[in-house]
Amino acid sequence: MAENQQQQQNKLLYLNPLTLEANFFLETLEEVNRQNQLQLDPHLTHLLERIVVGIETFLDKKPTYIVPKKAQQVSQEHPNITSDAGGLTFVPPNELLKIKRTFNCTACTYRIVGTTISKAVAHLAEQHPNPNPNPHSTQNGNVNEQRPMTTKQEKKRAEVEARTKLNVNLPKKVKALALDDMSDMIRDKYQVADKLKVMPQYDKIEEDLCRLIAPAFANDPVRIYKFGSRITGIGTRSSDLDVFIDIGNSFHLFEHRAGKNTIAKLRVLRGLFVDSDDWRIINVIEQARVPIIKTCHLSSGIECDICLNSLGFCNTTLLKYIFETQPLAQYMCIFLKTWLERCRLTEQITTYSMALMVIYYLQSRQLLPSIALLQQGESMSTKQFVGPWITNFQQKSLSELGMQQIEVTVPVLKEYLKDFFKFYATFNYERNMVCPYFGKKHILISRIEKEMPKRYVDYANQNPECALQLRKPMVVQDPIQLNHNVTKAVTKYALQKLIDYCEQTESLLYSSV
């Protein structure tokens, strides 16, 4: 009898979402049990008691198994998913693991907060306000149907007011970073970053890549270009090595989004990495603006991001020049990379974005030239292009440009960091943009398209969907690819968080002097 019942259960279709929620709860409970120090939550024990009592009451009613009348018909057409006439969805037990739990946060308009409970809890623990309060809700939670709809202006005003009331405090680790003596931290991180610029393992990676890829593209030349934070001198031991692979002399090819030919090459590369004993595939991201293959070089243990776009290498060349010309910029970026990580802002504000913000800040203090200036002059008669974008520049010293190189000491670094945080805590992001290309104060978003060089204007007119995205909470323009806002993914909430954190960090640095 019991054996027949068990066989019947194995054939049953599980109800979704109830079974999904139960499975998700059990997985979360198991994750908590694996922690070294367990903590008892009285609310959890109360809920568990209610669950047990509820299950016993449910079973006492002798429920029947869920077997939709049309399940067999639908299952023949769709083996993985079946549904009854009422529209309920049923999922077989072996398919349950394929379903990911997602979270929606109405407080800050994040559609997907995360696919794990830890991400959701970390997000909600920040106590986000509701920037779009429901105009029909009363204090008792009832709906007032007679209250009129709010206008867009009123909604925007309510959103601004909600954010101004938000009290976002710096994480403790960020406070420690600002208050502690940064001498050891800067020295250690600088030494690591400096060593990472040139490593013998990179030669082995390049050799293994050529040996892996060249046979598959026998009729095309293959060249390897290394770039990214490891090469510029602001990397850490956990940083990936970014690699651009030039297949068939594609260095000067520009694609706003990867075309079919590029995607086809990427898929060939993916197959090569999968079949190789020297590499392990971590992830393939085809849908990104610049598709990449995340892989690990097994003999060195270094993770690599493989791409088919040369502009990252061009940006790295520019950053290396900036850091060598004005070392203060490199030291600031090393500190701010750690600051970003401890603030948990790296998902929306990249290290590269922050480096451009440092460059623009130093340009505003007359300590770095504009990129437009470096790309002008007689010595620039032979300009190198990737699509419409000029990628080379004059590598002049600061003395030739009439500028001062700052001698970096810890007190000097603190002063400039303090001024940097004040600069961006008070920056008018709604009217102005961060623009290292022009490198001057108060670049108005409303006028930037009229001031852009002809190559940008021509490209934007021919490709209006690829113009610089200006209607974003934060605009930081790439100084080479002029149609790229590197902070286009930053939300209003993340920007406000950045402003608050800058203001608080500046205050802490001021008090520690």
Side-chain angles (χ1 to χ4, degrees), residues 243-343:
V243 179
F244 158 57
I245 301 179
D246 182 357
I247 302 174
N249 295 320
S250 60
F251 189 99
H252 300 286
L253 172 68
F254 171 71
E255 296 176 310
H256 184 71
R257 295 198 72 87
K260 293 181 179 179
N261 188 39
T262 301
I263 295 296
K265 288 181 181 178
L266 197 79
R267 289 174 180 173
V268 171
L269 293 178
R270 178 188 179 279
L272 297 175
F273 284 118
V274 168
D275 295 336
S276 173
D277 295 330
D278 298 325
W279 302 84
R280 175 173 56 85
I281 282 280
I282 299 173
N283 196 8
V284 180
I285 307 174
E286 283 190 8
Q287 303 304 318
R289 186 184 63 86
V290 178
I292 61 171
I293 298 175
K294 299 184 77 68
T295 184
C296 180
H297 184 245
L298 295 178
S299 64
S300 66
I302 296 175
E303 294 185 3
C304 301
D305 285 356
I306 309 294
C307 75
L308 300 174
N309 186 311
S310 63
L311 284 174
F313 172 77
C314 301
N315 292 333
T316 293
T317 304
L318 176 62
L319 290 186
K320 283 180 65 178
Y321 160 75
I322 295 291
F323 293 160
E324 291 169 2
T325 304
Q326 186 63 277
L328 174 63
Q330 182 180 4
Y331 280 94
M332 290 181 70
C333 286
I334 288 173
F335 177 89
L336 289 165
K337 182 181 175 72
T338 303
W339 184 83
L340 268 180
E341 292 168 352
R342 295 192 182 185
C343 289

Side-chain angles (χ1 to χ4, degrees), residues 168-171 174 178 335-336 339-340 343 345 349 354 357-358 361 414 416-427 429 474 494-510:
V168 180
N169 293 320
L170 272 176
V174 184
F335 177 89
L336 289 165
W339 184 83
L340 268 180
C343 289
L345 290 170
I349 302 174
M354 185 59 75
M357 293 171 68
V358 169
Y361 159 74
K414 270 194 173 183
Y416 278 100
L417 285 171
K418 184 176 66 174
D419 193 42
F420 170 89
F421 285 118
K422 182 179 180 181
F423 182 83
Y424 285 109
T426 56
F427 193 84
Y429 296 91
M474 185 177 187
L495 175 58
Q496 185 60 49
K497 197 173 180 181
L498 172 69
I499 294 170
D500 291 342
Y501 283 176
C502 283
E503 183 178 2
Q504 293 175 57
T505 306
E506 185 265 335
S507 178
L508 288 173
L509 287 172
Y510 182 81

Side-chain angles (χ1 to χ4, degrees), residues 2 18 78 104 124 137 162 318 356 387:
L18 181 60
H78 304 281
N104 296 326
L124 297 175
S137 298
L318 176 62
L356 295 184

Side-chain angles (χ1 to χ4, degrees), residues 360 363-364 366 370 423 433 435-443 451:
Y360 181 69
Q363 289 171 334
S364 73
Q366 304 298 313
S370 70
F423 182 83
M433 59 185 282
C435 180
Y437 179 74
F438 287 120
K440 59 184 180 181
K441 291 182 180 179
H442 310 305
I443 305 292
E451 299 177 5

Side-chain angles (χ1 to χ4, degrees), residues 321-466:
Y321 160 75
I322 295 291
F323 293 160
E324 291 169 2
T325 304
Q326 186 63 277
L328 174 63
Q330 182 180 4
Y331 280 94
M332 290 181 70
C333 286
I334 288 173
F335 177 89
L336 289 165
K337 182 181 175 72
T338 303
W339 184 83
L340 268 180
E341 292 168 352
R342 295 192 182 185
C343 289
R344 298 181 181 178
L345 290 170
T346 52
E347 288 189 5
Q348 295 195 44
I349 302 174
T350 63
T351 303
Y352 177 63
S353 302
M354 185 59 75
L356 295 184
M357 293 171 68
V358 169
I359 291 171
Y360 181 69
Y361 159 74
L362 293 175
Q363 289 171 334
S364 73
R365 299 297 185 255
Q366 304 298 313
L367 294 174
L368 280 175
S370 70
I371 309 308
L373 176 64
L374 294 176
Q375 292 183 335
Q376 294 174 355
E378 295 179 1
S379 60
M380 285 297 296
S381 55
T382 5
K383 297 180 180 178
Q384 297 176 3
F385 287 85
V386 172
W389 317 123
I390 300 175
T391 59
N392 60 334
F393 50 90
Q394 302 177 76
Q395 299 197 18
K396 289 187 175 182
S397 66
L398 290 180
S399 59
E400 291 178 288
L401 296 165
M403 295 180 176
Q404 178 188 5
Q405 186 181 82
I406 303 298
E407 183 180 352
V408 182
T409 63
V410 171
V412 168
L413 179 60
K414 270 194 173 183
E415 282 297 322
Y416 278 100
L417 285 171
K418 184 176 66 174
D419 193 42
F420 170 89
F421 285 118
K422 182 179 180 181
F423 182 83
Y424 285 109
T426 56
F427 193 84
N428 190 336
Y429 296 91
E430 192 170 341
R431 295 189 64 214
N432 300 326
M433 59 185 282
V434 176
C435 180
Y437 179 74
F438 287 120
K440 59 184 180 181
K441 291 182 180 179
H442 310 305
I443 305 292
L444 294 175
I445 294 174
S446 59
R447 294 187 53 84
I448 186 63
E449 291 186 313
K450 296 179 181 179
E451 299 177 5
M452 294 292 282
K454 186 175 183 300
R455 61 182 182 279
Y456 169 84
V457 175
D458 292 344
Y459 178 80
N461 288 338
Q462 296 171 11
N463 307 274
E465 73 283 358
C466 302

